[in-house]
Amino acid sequence: MKRRQLLTGGAIGAAGLVAGCECGVPAGGALPGALKQRELKMVTTWPKDFPGLGTMPERVAQFITEMSGGAMTVRVFAAGELVSAFESFDAVSNGAADMYHGAEYYWVGKSPAFNFFTAVPFGMTISEIMAWTEFGGGQELWDELSARFNIKPIAAGNSGHQLGGWFKKEINSLEDMRGLKMRMPGLGGEVLRRIGASAVAIPGGEIYPALQSGAIDATEWVGPWNDLAFGFYQEAKYYYWPGFHEPGSQLACGINLDLWNELTATEKSIITGACQRANNISIAEFTHHNAIALEQLLEEHGVQLRQMPADVMDALAAASKTVLEEAAATDDITNRIYQSFRESLVRSMEWSRISDEAYMAARRKAFSL
């Protein structure tokens, strides 16, 4: 038999074999686990098209569509388009929306335990919170907490270290913090109250008008990149470092749990993979743009960069310890989350002390600023 005849015959034989075998293929021809067309609604806590935060959910949506070959599409609604920023959680919980993208500490009214999955005062850096979430038992506890509200959570971004914030007047001592009205959500806001300041929790889109009108005297937001975009320097010239409240702000995608349980393993993998991809990109993106934006703020807009006084940082540290312990005593799940978080953080701190901390201090000798 000639080679061509063999190949042709083989091809015909193989085709006949497949045609004569059901092989588990349904009558309609779709393979098991094949993707079905889905259009999902995602609400967010961010202003529309805002750099980094506002574009992050758009990126998650894009990745889901690309990775599913177009079978799954996601329509993204910015804060206020379908529901307000702080209504996103309830919208997904009750099924009015399929997904949200936001910061978990916005849901502190549901449980103080949510704070630990975004950031807590003097808590984890980017790499530390990723390590806890992925390998230290954090995800399992997060799943347990969110399931109480019919939600499946997945890490889907991180804006990194947040600076101390924008102030209309200089802070020279702890006394200057007393009575100060500052925008800060989550447990960080409670820490401010413990040292005599007044903390206000408002969505990002409302911060600038509040600063402009005098409703607040100071604000934190994210970091140089996002702060520059909001133009805070026009109302408050003093930019303080370091931040204490959000050393590595993990952001999340929450999915309605009823919907999640209906998804195939393939669909779940696509959504999880899209979130993880967006998470990784956001870390590089914020690191890159924060450095550039800081230069612009200092050189083009006359911003005054100031280090927070030592007595202020000491008071914040002491108050943070108390606030975290009090939060842990709220209920069983918050306590278990706190204990897991703390154990992972203590381990990471010892490793960081002889690795990143030591290296960065030494590096300045080679690349002095």
Side-chain angles (χ1 to χ4, degrees), residues 197-210:
S198 176
V200 180
I202 53 177
E206 299 176 18
I207 298 176
Y208 187 88

Side-chain angles (χ1 to χ4, degrees), residues 203-287:
E206 299 176 18
I207 298 176
Y208 187 88
L211 199 62
Q212 187 177 46
S213 70
I216 56 176
D217 307 308
T219 186
E220 58 76 46
W221 175 227
V222 180
W225 183 31
N226 282 177
D227 294 0
L228 173 64
F230 264 160
F232 295 141
Y233 63 87
Q234 298 175 79
E235 302 297 330
K237 285 292 183 182
Y238 300 104
Y239 200 21
Y240 275 84
W241 65 275
F244 78 96
H245 55 302
E246 297 190 42
S249 306
Q250 181 171 264
L251 307 174
C253 181
I255 302 115
N256 177 273
L257 189 57
D258 293 330
L259 169 64
W260 179 258
N261 290 335
E262 292 174 2
L263 298 177
T264 65
T266 300
E267 290 171 325
K268 290 177 180 178
S269 293
I270 287 170
I271 293 175
T272 300
C275 289
Q276 290 175 334
R277 185 178 172 192
N279 189 68
N280 291 340
I281 289 177
S282 72
I283 296 168
E285 184 176 40
F286 274 88
T287 301

Side-chain angles (χ1 to χ4, degrees), residues 32-117:
L35 298 173
K36 60 184 290 187
Q37 291 296 133
R38 292 185 184 273
E39 183 177 86
L40 306 175
K41 291 186 294 186
M42 178 192 287
V43 293
T44 82
T45 61
W46 318 119
K48 188 174 181 62
D49 298 326
F50 190 75
L53 296 179
T55 54
M56 208 179 299
E58 297 283 358
R59 188 173 283 145
V60 173
Q62 174 192 340
F63 291 160
I64 289 173
T65 299
E66 289 177 355
M67 295 166 71
S68 68
M72 303 172 72
T73 58
V74 181
R75 186 178 178 187
V76 179
F77 296 88
E81 289 186 331
L82 190 62
V83 297
S84 69
F86 290 169
E87 292 174 336
S88 298
F89 186 91
D90 286 339
V92 174
S93 177
N94 63 32
D98 300 304
M99 316 165 72
Y100 69 71
H101 191 282
E104 295 292 90
Y105 63 21
Y106 285 157
W107 327 133
V108 63
K110 306 292 184 183
S111 169
F114 279 111
N115 286 284
F116 293 95
F117 299 104

Side-chain angles (χ1 to χ4, degrees), residues 104-137:
E104 295 292 90
Y105 63 21
Y106 285 157
W107 327 133
V108 63
K110 306 292 184 183
S111 169
F114 279 111
N115 286 284
F116 293 95
F117 299 104
T118 298
V120 296
F122 292 94
M124 294 179 170
T125 62
I126 290 175
S127 58
E128 289 169 342
I129 198 167
M130 288 179 69
W132 176 57
T133 301
E134 297 290 340
F135 294 100

Side-chain angles (χ1 to χ4, degrees), residues 283-303:
I283 296 168
E285 184 176 40
F286 274 88
T287 301
H288 174 77
H289 288 291
N290 275 336
I292 293 173
L294 181 60
E295 289 182 350
Q296 292 178 305
L297 288 167
L298 300 179
E299 297 174 8
E300 299 175 20
H301 300 293
V303 168

